[in-house]
């Protein structure tokens, strides 16, 4: 079920609340993010129930959304965390995550960040020769034996936007298989500083072409490419078998994140966490491994919308524009990746509202400042509510203050339908504070 749906009365709801009513009760008259807490729970439980009977860690990729309340919620449901910076690690600790169920990823982890990870017994992915050297150094400084996973680049094509593909051969992430032996030899040299415990891969993000039904699973040999996750996992366990034969005791297979969501709202059948788990289950169980997954988007994206107001409507030449108060500063994915996010008015249009093809744009001084292009929408009036859907992942966490828009407040709908603020609005005074006393 979807958190945000238009019901029979034509109004858009978040769970059982009209978004229009929420807009009226929120004191800030500016764009805000609205989340459904029940949807966050449903998304997490989809992973948890798929993983029944498998030793596993769901590591929420907190770069997707670093709201502390959301982190605490996932932690309370049993989540681990996937981190890409020292500050993300600090935030995970602040939110109470068990550091031994956290993974530190990245191609440019700083030596001091690695020391922090070592001190806290976080799992660390090795990304390169220099990265391994820095991890060994951190182990020495922290006087810890760091548990490490080798991030292997599986060289598969997830068929996504090149900016979010990470496991192909020209990617800056991970190590290539022909270098594997060098890493194993190097690790053997440092038994007090590093302990190799697993392998990691991450194919990319927004993956929707990995769908696998049981029927297709049986047909797999005739339908190659149907499941890149299994292709990658198969490769990984082959590497792991080889690594184990050299005396390493490997425990973790980390298959990364990457599951896409139905941004187009077409109701298309997309691969679910269960599909993903089922494609790798046998590989993991037969080897007695612990499966690590690193979902970001599929846990948070569909649980939020950016709620905006219409400032006005204009026509230039043959283009129609709906100008709203939200912009690329609050939500940059359309500008940056040409990403599609569904846009909808929160209240039914009057019978006199003409449906036209609109670009939905913000007030920022950039032609790239659009939230959606060529959308069929009823002509709205000043002040009407208009939402950008599926805004829970990589939206607030990528927001900026460009044009001094200041980052928006965040609210969620609780399980009982009440509204709670979960992040303060950033204000103009916050900006001035950076210059105090200079
Ligand atoms: N693990 C690793 C190693 C990653 O690099 C990523 C995302 C994830 C897990 C989580 O992937 P997810 O389940 O969220 O697809 N800003 C882009 C997405 C960048 C993803 C970067 N890596 C966007 O807005 O689409």
């Amino acid at each position: 079920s979807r958190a945000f749906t238009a019901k029979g009365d034509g109004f858009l709801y978040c769970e059982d609340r009209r978004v229009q009513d929420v807009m009226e009760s929120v004191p800030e008259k500016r764009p805000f993010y609205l989340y459904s807490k029940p949807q966050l729970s449903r998304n997490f439980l989809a992973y948890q129930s798929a993983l029944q009977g498998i030793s596993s860690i769901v590591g929420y990729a907190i770069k997707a959304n670093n709201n502390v309340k959301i982190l605490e919620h996932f932690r309370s449901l049993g989540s681990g965390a996937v981190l890409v910076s020292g500050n993300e690690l600090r935030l995970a600790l602040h939110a109470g995550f068990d550091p031994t169920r956290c993974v530190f990823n990245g191609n440019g982890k700083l030596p001091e960040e690695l020391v922090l990870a070592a001190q806290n017994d976080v799992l660390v992915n090795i990304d390169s020769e220099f990265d391994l050297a820095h991890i060994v150094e951190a182990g020495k400084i922290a006087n810890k034996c760091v548990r490490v996973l080798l991030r292997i680049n599986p060289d598969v094509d997830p068929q996504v936007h090149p900016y979010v593909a990470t496991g192909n051969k020209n990617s800056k992430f991970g190590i290539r298989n022909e270098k594997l032996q060098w890493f194993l030899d190097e690790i053997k040299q440092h038994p007090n500083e590093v302990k190799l415990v697993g392998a990691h891969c991450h194919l990319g993000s927004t993956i929707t072409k990995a769908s696998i039904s049981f029927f297709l699973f049986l047909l797999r040999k005739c339908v190659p490419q149907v499941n890149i996750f299994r292709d990658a996992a198969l490769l990984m366990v082959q590497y792991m078998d080889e690594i184990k034969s050299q005396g390493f005791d490997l425990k973790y297979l980390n298959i990364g994140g990457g599951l896409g969501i139905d941004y187009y709202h077409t109701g298309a059948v997309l691969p679910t966490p269960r599909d993903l788990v089922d494609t790798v289950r046998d590989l993991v169980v037969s080897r007695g491994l612990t499966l690590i997954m690193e979902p970001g988007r599929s846990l948070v994206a569909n649980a939020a919308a950016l709620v905006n107001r219409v400032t006005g409507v204009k026509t230039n030449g043959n283009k129609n524009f709906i100008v709203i108060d939200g912009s690329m500063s609050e939500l940059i994915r359309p500008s940056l990746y040409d990403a599609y996010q569904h846009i909808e008015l929160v209240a039914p249009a009057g019978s006199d509202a003409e449906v036209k093809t609109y670009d939905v744009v913000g007030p920022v001084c950039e032609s790239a400042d659009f939230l959606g292009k060529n959308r069929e929408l009823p002509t709205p009036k000043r002040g009407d509510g208009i939402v950008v859907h599926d805004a829970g992942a990589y939206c607030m966490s990528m927001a900026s203050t460009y044009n001094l828009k200041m980052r928006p407040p965040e609210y969620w709908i609780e399980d009982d339908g009440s509204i709670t603020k979960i992040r303060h609005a950033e204000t103009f005074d916050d900006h001035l504070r950076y210059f105090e006393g200079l």
Side-chain angles (χ1 to χ4, degrees), residues 230-249:
R230 187 172 174 89
D231 292 345
L234 265 172
L235 253 176
M236 298 299 284
V237 293
Q238 277 165 23
Y239 290 135
M240 288 174 80
D241 291 345
E242 190 182 318
I243 296 169
K244 278 196 231 172
S245 72
Q246 298 192 31
F248 291 99
D249 179 20

Side-chain angles (χ1 to χ4, degrees), residues 118-370:
Q119 287 164 338
N120 286 287
D121 302 309
V122 168
L123 288 158
V124 177
N125 277 338
I126 304 172
D127 187 83
S128 63
E129 292 87 338
F130 75 75
D131 197 38
L132 175 54
H134 295 174
I135 297 167
V136 167
E137 209 176 275
K140 272 203 187 90
I141 293 170
N143 196 21
K144 291 268 187 168
C145 186
V146 185
R147 294 174 309 142
V148 291
L149 285 75
L150 271 170
R151 177 163 182 172
I152 300 173
N153 185 328
D155 196 3
V156 299
D157 176 9
Q159 300 178 41
V160 296
H161 190 285
Y163 286 11
V164 294
T166 45
N168 51 347
K169 67 169 173 286
N170 294 323
S171 162
K172 71 171 180 173
F173 298 103
I175 65 170
R176 308 262 312 156
N177 59 353
E178 56 279 12
K179 292 195 170 166
L180 194 57
Q181 193 56 48
W182 183 90
F183 282 91
L184 299 180
D185 293 340
E186 192 64 18
I187 290 167
K188 284 179 200 159
Q189 304 295 309
H190 301 281
N192 298 322
E193 290 83 17
V194 285
K195 178 172 162 54
L196 184 60
V197 295
H200 171 254
C201 66
H202 172 73
L203 310 181
S205 203
T206 67
I207 297 172
T208 52
K209 300 212 174 85
S211 109
I212 183 158
S213 62
F214 185 63
F215 180 63
L216 284 179
F217 182 77
L218 293 176
L219 278 178
R220 230 193 138 269
K221 289 203 175 74
C222 333
V223 190
Q225 304 302 335
V226 82
N227 197 333
I228 56 158
F229 280 108
R230 187 172 174 89
D231 292 345
L234 265 172
L235 253 176
M236 298 299 284
V237 293
Q238 277 165 23
Y239 290 135
M240 288 174 80
D241 291 345
E242 190 182 318
I243 296 169
K244 278 196 231 172
S245 72
Q246 298 192 31
F248 291 99
D249 179 20
L250 300 189
K251 178 162 179 226
Y252 298 103
L253 169 59
N254 183 339
I255 59 167
L259 220 51
I261 64 143
D262 182 19
Y263 278 115
Y264 289 92
H265 286 214
T266 55
V269 179
L270 300 181
T272 62
R274 184 170 299 279
D275 295 327
L276 181 48
V277 171
D278 284 351
T279 71
V280 300
R281 183 184 296 272
D282 60 323
L283 303 177
V284 173
V285 170
S286 63
R287 289 171 176 79
L289 296 169
T290 293
L291 180 65
I292 302 181
M293 304 177 87
E294 305 185 328
R297 189 185 320 270
S298 50
L299 286 178
V300 284
N302 69 354
L306 179 68
V307 184
N308 314 274
R309 284 182 173 78
V310 172
T311 307
V313 174
K314 73 186 264 186
T315 298
N316 262 356
N318 46 19
K319 271 263 174 210
N320 303 311
F321 298 95
I322 297 174
V323 184
I324 65 176
D325 55 0
S327 70
M328 67 187 288
S329 298
E330 291 81 7
L331 196 158
I332 201 175
R333 299 189 67 258
S335 309
L336 191 57
Y337 311 115
D338 216 359
Y340 180 95
Q341 295 196 209
H342 201 58
I343 294 180
E344 201 172 3
L345 294 167
V346 306
S351 50
D352 54 336
E354 197 186 336
V355 175
K356 289 192 190 168
T357 304
Y358 284 105
D359 282 7
V360 179
V361 302
V364 165
C365 293
E366 294 271 348
S367 293
D369 179 29
F370 64 91

